[in-house]
Amino acid sequence: MTPFFSRIVRVEWGQCDPAGIVYAPRYLDMVGENTIRLFEAAGLPKKRDMLATLNVAGYPMVDLQARFLRPAAYGDDVIVESAAPEFGNSSFTIAHRVTLDGAVCVDCTEKRVWTVVDATRPGGLRAERVPDAVRALFAGNAA
């Protein structure tokens, strides 16, 4: 995996179990936030602004695979890395990795779908092709 975006995250007590080890689902919060920041780093507006200006309702997760290889604990500074998305038609897949002192703690892949409001159903959503302008921001960087 070649990172497109990475950030340091200090493990907080609320992310840990009583023994001070990161509770596995909290890693998924970390990589989910990285997906949002990945799009910002590529040049899109902040997610709240993107939702208002790009005619997108969001990009819900539809598949997730994660391997938990090494624990991290309260106070550790982990690095959360994310590769550029691999685009399908309306979906995209992002590889993530969480490391501590160079060792991989979590290896994760998520698949999300670009959605728009479906005017034919009140409150409904439908998948739509990821806009070419969004794809272009990552051109040449996909893993």
Side-chain angles (χ1 to χ4, degrees):
M1 179 187 105
T2 303
F4 183 90
F5 175 75
S6 66
R7 68 186 172 106
I8 297 171
V9 175
R10 167 118 350 122
V11 175
E12 299 173 357
W13 183 253
Q15 296 170 312
C16 298
D17 63 18
I21 304 300
V22 176
Y23 180 55
R26 299 296 73 86
Y27 285 117
L28 304 180
D29 293 338
M30 292 177 199
V31 300
E33 179 64 22
N34 248 43
T35 296
I36 294 167
R37 294 186 186 204
L38 170 77
F39 278 87
E40 290 176 16
L44 288 168
K46 289 185 177 184
K47 188 172 181 184
R48 69 174 176 257
D49 298 328
M50 185 177 73
L51 296 176
T53 61
L54 291 183
N55 188 37
V56 61
Y59 34 85
M61 187 182 309
V62 295
D63 190 32
L64 174 71
Q65 296 177 17
R67 294 183 323 136
F68 302 96
L69 304 167
R70 177 183 175 196
Y74 172 64
D76 286 342
D77 288 325
V78 296
I79 298 174
V80 184
E81 301 173 314
S82 302
E86 293 182 14
F87 292 102
N89 183 37
S90 62
S91 68
F92 56 92
T93 302
I94 301 176
H96 302 279
R97 179 173 51 209
V98 180
T99 62
L100 175 63
D101 299 329
V104 178
C105 298
V106 180
D107 192 10
C108 175
T109 303
E110 64 175 4
K111 184 173 188 175
R112 293 178 177 263
V113 175
W114 193 268
T115 59
V116 297
V117 173
D118 184 347
T120 66
R121 296 183 309 144
L125 302 175
R126 66 178 168 79
E128 188 168 278
R129 179 176 166 78
V130 178
D132 290 337
V134 172
R135 293 168 184 268
L137 295 171
F138 297 98
N141 291 298

